[in-house]
């Protein structure tokens, strides 16, 4: 039986403590892969650096740390290039789990409209990826979705919402984890695949369920006609 558990976070807006709490909560629920939808694109990088500093016990960054970091970086760049994906083998992710410099490999992310990265042609505003045999489209703002996106993907995962939601429109599903900052409740979400079944649920950072697991009845035979 094949299974994927994917953590989804959005709209951290500089709250690295909330980002860290969401990561630990979702990892504790079995997430091995993660989606960060933006709401400050660079928060992922700053959170990685913060975890790296904490892993050193708060001591000053030394020359030995630099040599170690460069060696780890070279070991990654010498591997065969690949884009980050939700379909990375779990064994590889488990090996990376405890290294703060490699945790980034667990993540797919998208930029928000007011970020520099949104205007960078080398950074996709939307990311297409597979969860099992279901095509998903990831974006911060669902208003950025194009006709082609709506025709081709079956699941759309987006940010820029005050609370977690699952909305079905025809054969398509729109999922959002809510916000880590700037809302009445700080929330995150899980997308789980067990064989061909997909389930979506959401949680407060204290672990309370705010959206009970809901099964997505995905019809993979459907095609949407947009004129």
């Amino acid at each position: 039986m094949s299974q994927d558990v994917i953590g989804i976070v959005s709209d951290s807006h500089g709250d690295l403590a909330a980002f860290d709490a969401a990561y630990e909560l979702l990892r504790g629920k079995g997430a091995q892969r993660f989606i960060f939808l933006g709401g400050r694109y660079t928060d992922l990088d700053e959170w990685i650096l913060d975890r790296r500093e904490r892993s050193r016990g708060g001591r000053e960054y030394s020359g030995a740390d630099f040599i170690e970091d460069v060696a780890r970086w070279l070991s990654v760049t010498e591997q065969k290039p690949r884009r980050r994906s939700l379909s990375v083998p779990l064994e590889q992710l488990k090996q990376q789990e405890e290294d703060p410099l490699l945790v980034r490999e667990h993540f797919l992310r998208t930029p928000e409209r007011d970020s520099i990265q949104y205007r960078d042609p080398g950074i996709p505003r939307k990311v297409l990826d597979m969860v099992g045999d279901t095509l998903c489209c990831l974006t911060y703002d669902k208003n950025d979705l194009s006709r082609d996106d709506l025709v081709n993907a079956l699941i759309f995962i987006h940010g820029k919402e005050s609370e977690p939601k699952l909305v079905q429109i025809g054969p398509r599903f729109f999922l959002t984890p809510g916000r880590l900052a700037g809302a009445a409740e700080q929330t995150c979400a899980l997308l789980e695949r067990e064989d061909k079944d997909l389930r979506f649920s959401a949680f407060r950072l204290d672990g309370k369920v705010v959206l009970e697991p809901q099964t997505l009845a995905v019809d993979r035979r459907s095609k949407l006609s947009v004129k």
Side-chain angles (χ1 to χ4, degrees):
M1 180 178 293
S2 59
Q3 185 173 9
D4 287 316
V5 185
I6 301 164
I8 309 171
V9 295
S10 185
D11 291 278
S12 48
H13 296 288
D15 192 338
L16 300 186
F19 199 117
D20 192 67
Y23 175 78
E24 294 297 343
L25 173 67
L26 296 172
R27 192 173 67 159
K29 292 184 178 295
Q32 294 282 350
R33 307 172 179 87
F34 295 86
I35 296 169
F36 175 46
L37 297 163
R40 201 174 85 166
Y41 185 87
T42 56
D43 280 354
L44 174 59
D45 304 300
E46 294 184 18
W47 172 71
I48 294 291
L49 291 175
D50 182 65
R51 285 181 72 90
R52 177 60 175 147
E53 182 176 353
R54 284 186 279 128
S55 75
R56 298 197 307 268
R59 61 181 172 79
E60 185 177 351
Y61 191 74
S62 67
D65 290 323
F66 172 73
I67 296 299
E68 182 182 355
D69 288 349
V70 170
R72 289 178 179 176
W73 175 71
L74 288 175
S75 71
V76 173
T77 57
E78 287 172 358
Q79 296 172 3
K80 184 178 179 180
R82 64 165 178 81
R83 74 183 186 88
R84 297 183 183 92
S85 171
L86 295 176
S87 57
V88 176
L90 286 177
E91 293 78 9
Q92 181 176 332
L93 292 175
K94 288 177 181 178
Q95 292 173 1
Q96 299 170 352
E97 189 172 68
E98 298 307 320
D99 189 336
L101 292 179
L102 299 181
V103 167
R104 188 183 286 103
E105 296 297 308
H106 298 219
F107 280 82
L108 291 177
R109 62 172 162 176
T110 58
E112 64 277 10
R113 190 181 295 268
D114 58 355
S115 68
I116 295 175
Q117 291 79 15
Y118 187 89
R119 299 187 291 276
D120 185 337
I123 296 176
R125 297 176 179 179
K126 293 164 284 187
V127 176
L128 292 174
D129 212 307
M130 301 295 294
V131 176
D133 59 355
T134 302
L135 182 62
C136 299
C137 181
L138 320 178
T139 185
Y140 175 67
D141 187 345
K142 61 181 180 294
N143 290 317
D144 282 338
L145 295 172
S146 67
R147 288 189 175 192
D148 286 344
D149 298 326
L150 293 168
V151 168
N152 293 321
L154 289 173
I155 294 177
F156 302 89
I157 304 174
H158 64 92
K160 204 178 179 182
E161 294 287 347
S162 60
E163 59 186 22
K165 292 179 185 177
L166 186 158
V167 176
Q168 181 176 3
I169 302 178
R172 269 66 178 171
F173 292 86
F174 294 78
L175 319 178
T176 181
R179 302 171 65 94
L180 290 178
E185 291 188 317
Q186 296 170 291
T187 58
C188 54
L190 280 180
L191 180 62
E192 302 172 84
R193 178 180 73 89
E194 189 166 312
D195 289 338
K196 293 190 176 181
D197 291 331
L198 296 174
R199 291 190 299 274
F200 180 72
S201 54
F203 310 87
R204 284 192 336 205
L205 297 188
D206 62 4
K208 180 182 177 181
V209 177
V210 293
L211 190 65
E212 294 288 344
Q214 299 185 37
T215 299
L216 284 62
V218 177
D219 182 0
R220 296 169 181 84
R221 300 167 301 171
S222 65
K223 279 291 183 181
L224 183 66
S225 177
V226 180
K227 299 182 179 179

